[in-house]
PDB file of all heavy atoms in Angstrom:
ATOM      1  N   LEU A 314     256.406 188.861  50.852  1.00 79.00           N
ATOM      2  CA  LEU A 314     257.661 189.077  51.575  1.00 79.00           C
ATOM      3  C   LEU A 314     258.547 187.836  51.558  1.00 79.00           C
ATOM      4  O   LEU A 314     259.772 187.947  51.538  1.00 79.00           O
ATOM      5  CB  LEU A 314     257.366 189.483  53.023  1.00 79.00           C
ATOM      6  CG  LEU A 314     256.704 190.848  53.220  1.00 79.00           C
ATOM      7  CD1 LEU A 314     256.399 191.071  54.703  1.00 79.00           C
ATOM      8  CD2 LEU A 314     257.584 191.966  52.696  1.00 79.00           C
ATOM      9  N   SER A 315     257.924 186.660  51.562  1.00 78.00           N
ATOM     10  CA  SER A 315     258.714 185.423  51.574  1.00 78.00           C
ATOM     11  C   SER A 315     259.521 185.239  50.297  1.00 78.00           C
ATOM     12  O   SER A 315     260.480 184.462  50.267  1.00 78.00           O
ATOM     13  CB  SER A 315     257.795 184.219  51.780  1.00 78.00           C
ATOM     14  OG  SER A 315     256.915 184.060  50.677  1.00 78.00           O
ATOM     15  N   LYS A 316     259.153 185.964  49.229  1.00 75.00           N
ATOM     16  CA  LYS A 316     259.863 185.857  47.953  1.00 75.00           C
ATOM     17  C   LYS A 316     260.929 186.935  47.770  1.00 75.00           C
ATOM     18  O   LYS A 316     261.637 186.930  46.770  1.00 75.00           O
ATOM     19  CB  LYS A 316     258.856 185.931  46.800  1.00 75.00           C
ATOM     20  CG  LYS A 316     257.830 184.805  46.823  1.00 75.00           C
ATOM     21  CD  LYS A 316     256.798 184.972  45.720  1.00 75.00           C
ATOM     22  CE  LYS A 316     255.729 183.893  45.791  1.00 75.00           C
ATOM     23  NZ  LYS A 316     254.679 184.073  44.756  1.00 75.00           N
ATOM     24  N   VAL A 317     261.023 187.873  48.726  1.00 74.00           N
ATOM     25  CA  VAL A 317     262.040 188.924  48.638  1.00 74.00           C
ATOM     26  C   VAL A 317     263.367 188.360  49.127  1.00 74.00           C
ATOM     27  O   VAL A 317     263.472 187.921  50.275  1.00 74.00           O
ATOM     28  CB  VAL A 317     261.639 190.146  49.497  1.00 74.00           C
ATOM     29  CG1 VAL A 317     262.721 191.213  49.453  1.00 74.00           C
ATOM     30  CG2 VAL A 317     260.315 190.712  49.002  1.00 74.00           C
ATOM     31  N   PRO A 318     264.402 188.332  48.281  1.00 72.00           N
ATOM     32  CA  PRO A 318     265.677 187.708  48.663  1.00 72.00           C
ATOM     33  C   PRO A 318     266.248 188.230  49.973  1.00 72.00           C
ATOM     34  O   PRO A 318     266.771 187.456  50.790  1.00 72.00           O
ATOM     35  CB  PRO A 318     266.593 188.050  47.480  1.00 72.00           C
ATOM     36  CG  PRO A 318     265.663 188.217  46.324  1.00 72.00           C
ATOM     37  CD  PRO A 318     264.436 188.842  46.901  1.00 72.00           C
ATOM     38  N   LEU A 319     266.159 189.523  50.203  1.00 69.00           N
ATOM     39  CA  LEU A 319     266.714 190.113  51.414  1.00 69.00           C
ATOM     40  C   LEU A 319     266.103 189.522  52.674  1.00 69.00           C
ATOM     41  O   LEU A 319     266.761 189.420  53.708  1.00 69.00           O
ATOM     42  CB  LEU A 319     266.469 191.630  51.395  1.00 69.00           C
ATOM     43  CG  LEU A 319     266.801 192.404  52.671  1.00 69.00           C
ATOM     44  CD1 LEU A 319     268.302 192.387  52.917  1.00 69.00           C
ATOM     45  CD2 LEU A 319     266.304 193.830  52.583  1.00 69.00           C
ATOM     46  N   LEU A 320     264.849 189.093  52.581  1.00 73.00           N
ATOM     47  CA  LEU A 320     264.131 188.623  53.759  1.00 73.00           C
ATOM     48  C   LEU A 320     264.094 187.107  53.850  1.00 73.00           C
ATOM     49  O   LEU A 320     263.368 186.549  54.657  1.00 73.00           O
ATOM     50  CB  LEU A 320     262.694 189.169  53.726  1.00 73.00           C
ATOM     51  CG  LEU A 320     262.569 190.676  53.450  1.00 73.00           C
ATOM     52  CD1 LEU A 320     261.097 191.078  53.387  1.00 73.00           C
ATOM     53  CD2 LEU A 320     263.291 191.475  54.510  1.00 73.00           C
ATOM     54  N   GLY A 321     264.863 186.448  53.009  1.00 68.00           N
ATOM     55  CA  GLY A 321     264.830 184.995  52.944  1.00 68.00           C
ATOM     56  C   GLY A 321     265.198 184.309  54.249  1.00 68.00           C
ATOM     57  O   GLY A 321     264.738 183.202  54.532  1.00 68.00           O
ATOM     58  N   SER A 322     266.052 184.944  55.072  1.00 69.00           N
ATOM     59  CA  SER A 322     266.481 184.312  56.324  1.00 69.00           C
ATOM     60  C   SER A 322     265.529 184.577  57.479  1.00 69.00           C
ATOM     61  O   SER A 322     265.713 184.065  58.576  1.00 69.00           O
ATOM     62  CB  SER A 322     267.882 184.825  56.707  1.00 69.00           C
ATOM     63  OG  SER A 322     267.858 186.231  56.904  1.00 69.00           O
ATOM     64  N   MET A 323     264.493 185.380  57.244  1.00 72.00           N
ATOM     65  CA  MET A 323     263.536 185.664  58.314  1.00 72.00           C
ATOM     66  C   MET A 323     262.564 184.498  58.468  1.00 72.00           C
ATOM     67  O   MET A 323     262.121 183.925  57.480  1.00 72.00           O
ATOM     68  CB  MET A 323     262.744 186.940  57.998  1.00 72.00           C
ATOM     69  CG  MET A 323     263.576 188.201  57.929  1.00 72.00           C
ATOM     70  SD  MET A 323     262.580 189.686  57.590  1.00 72.00           S
ATOM     71  CE  MET A 323     261.859 189.966  59.204  1.00 72.00           C
ATOM     72  N   ASP A 324     262.231 184.160  59.711  1.00 72.00           N
ATOM     73  CA  ASP A 324     261.229 183.113  59.917  1.00 72.00           C
ATOM     74  C   ASP A 324     259.837 183.720  59.835  1.00 72.00           C
ATOM     75  O   ASP A 324     259.668 184.932  59.672  1.00 72.00           O
ATOM     76  CB  ASP A 324     261.463 182.385  61.250  1.00 72.00           C
ATOM     77  CG  ASP A 324     261.387 183.314  62.457  1.00 72.00           C
ATOM     78  OD1 ASP A 324     260.568 184.264  62.429  1.00 72.00           O
ATOM     79  OD2 ASP A 324     262.144 183.107  63.411  1.00 72.00           O
ATOM     80  N   ALA A 325     258.817 182.882  59.957  1.00 73.00           N
ATOM     81  CA  ALA A 325     257.441 183.348  59.771  1.00 73.00           C
ATOM     82  C   ALA A 325     257.049 184.412  60.788  1.00 73.00           C
ATOM     83  O   ALA A 325     256.326 185.356  60.466  1.00 73.00           O
ATOM     84  CB  ALA A 325     256.482 182.156  59.863  1.00 73.00           C
ATOM     85  N   TYR A 326     257.510 184.270  62.019  1.00 68.00           N
ATOM     86  CA  TYR A 326     257.174 185.239  63.047  1.00 68.00           C
ATOM     87  C   TYR A 326     257.792 186.604  62.749  1.00 68.00           C
ATOM     88  O   TYR A 326     257.147 187.639  62.864  1.00 68.00           O
ATOM     89  CB  TYR A 326     257.624 184.753  64.421  1.00 68.00           C
ATOM     90  CG  TYR A 326     256.969 183.461  64.843  1.00 68.00           C
ATOM     91  CD1 TYR A 326     257.698 182.452  65.446  1.00 68.00           C
ATOM     92  CD2 TYR A 326     255.612 183.256  64.630  1.00 68.00           C
ATOM     93  CE1 TYR A 326     257.094 181.268  65.833  1.00 68.00           C
ATOM     94  CE2 TYR A 326     255.001 182.074  65.010  1.00 68.00           C
ATOM     95  CZ  TYR A 326     255.747 181.083  65.614  1.00 68.00           C
ATOM     96  OH  TYR A 326     255.151 179.912  65.987  1.00 68.00           O
ATOM     97  N   GLU A 327     259.070 186.592  62.396  1.00 72.00           N
ATOM     98  CA  GLU A 327     259.755 187.844  62.092  1.00 72.00           C
ATOM     99  C   GLU A 327     259.130 188.511  60.867  1.00 72.00           C
ATOM    100  O   GLU A 327     258.980 189.733  60.807  1.00 72.00           O
ATOM    101  CB  GLU A 327     261.244 187.577  61.859  1.00 72.00           C
ATOM    102  CG  GLU A 327     261.970 187.113  63.101  1.00 72.00           C
ATOM    103  CD  GLU A 327     263.346 186.545  62.810  1.00 72.00           C
ATOM    104  OE1 GLU A 327     263.565 186.054  61.683  1.00 72.00           O
ATOM    105  OE2 GLU A 327     264.192 186.589  63.695  1.00 72.00           O
ATOM    106  N   ARG A 328     258.762 187.694  59.887  1.00 76.00           N
ATOM    107  CA  ARG A 328     258.136 188.237  58.680  1.00 76.00           C
ATOM    108  C   ARG A 328     256.769 188.840  59.002  1.00 76.00           C
ATOM    109  O   ARG A 328     256.370 189.847  58.424  1.00 76.00           O
ATOM    110  CB  ARG A 328     258.010 187.133  57.632  1.00 76.00           C
ATOM    111  CG  ARG A 328     257.916 187.649  56.209  1.00 76.00           C
ATOM    112  CD  ARG A 328     258.189 186.565  55.188  1.00 76.00           C
ATOM    113  NE  ARG A 328     257.344 185.405  55.339  1.00 76.00           N
ATOM    114  CZ  ARG A 328     257.799 184.188  55.622  1.00 76.00           C
ATOM    115  NH1 ARG A 328     259.092 183.986  55.764  1.00 76.00           N
ATOM    116  NH2 ARG A 328     256.962 183.182  55.738  1.00 76.00           N
ATOM    117  N   SER A 329     256.050 188.233  59.938  1.00 74.00           N
ATOM    118  CA  SER A 329     254.748 188.777  60.319  1.00 74.00           C
ATOM    119  C   SER A 329     254.910 190.118  61.029  1.00 74.00           C
ATOM    120  O   SER A 329     254.090 191.019  60.877  1.00 74.00           O
ATOM    121  CB  SER A 329     253.999 187.795  61.218  1.00 74.00           C
ATOM    122  OG  SER A 329     254.602 187.676  62.488  1.00 74.00           O
ATOM    123  N   GLN A 330     255.998 190.266  61.808  1.00 73.00           N
ATOM    124  CA  GLN A 330     256.279 191.544  62.451  1.00 73.00           C
ATOM    125  C   GLN A 330     256.527 192.629  61.400  1.00 73.00           C
ATOM    126  O   GLN A 330     256.043 193.751  61.509  1.00 73.00           O
ATOM    127  CB  GLN A 330     257.515 191.412  63.346  1.00 73.00           C
ATOM    128  CG  GLN A 330     257.293 190.624  64.621  1.00 73.00           C
ATOM    129  CD  GLN A 330     256.760 191.496  65.736  1.00 73.00           C
ATOM    130  OE1 GLN A 330     257.488 192.264  66.347  1.00 73.00           O
ATOM    131  NE2 GLN A 330     255.475 191.377  65.998  1.00 73.00           N
ATOM    132  N   LEU A 331     257.271 192.258  60.372  1.00 77.00           N
ATOM    133  CA  LEU A 331     257.555 193.218  59.305  1.00 77.00           C
ATOM    134  C   LEU A 331     256.275 193.577  58.554  1.00 77.00           C
ATOM    135  O   LEU A 331     256.051 194.743  58.206  1.00 77.00           O
ATOM    136  CB  LEU A 331     258.592 192.629  58.341  1.00 77.00           C
ATOM    137  CG  LEU A 331     258.977 193.507  57.147  1.00 77.00           C
ATOM    138  CD1 LEU A 331     259.521 194.857  57.618  1.00 77.00           C
ATOM    139  CD2 LEU A 331     260.018 192.798  56.272  1.00 77.00           C
TER     140      LEU A 331
END
Side-chain angles (χ1 to χ4, degrees):
L314 293 177
S315 65
K316 299 176 183 178
V317 178
L319 172 67
L320 311 178
S322 61
M323 296 181 77
D324 60 35
Y326 299 137
E327 293 167 334
R328 203 164 55 243
S329 69
Q330 287 274 284
L331 179 58

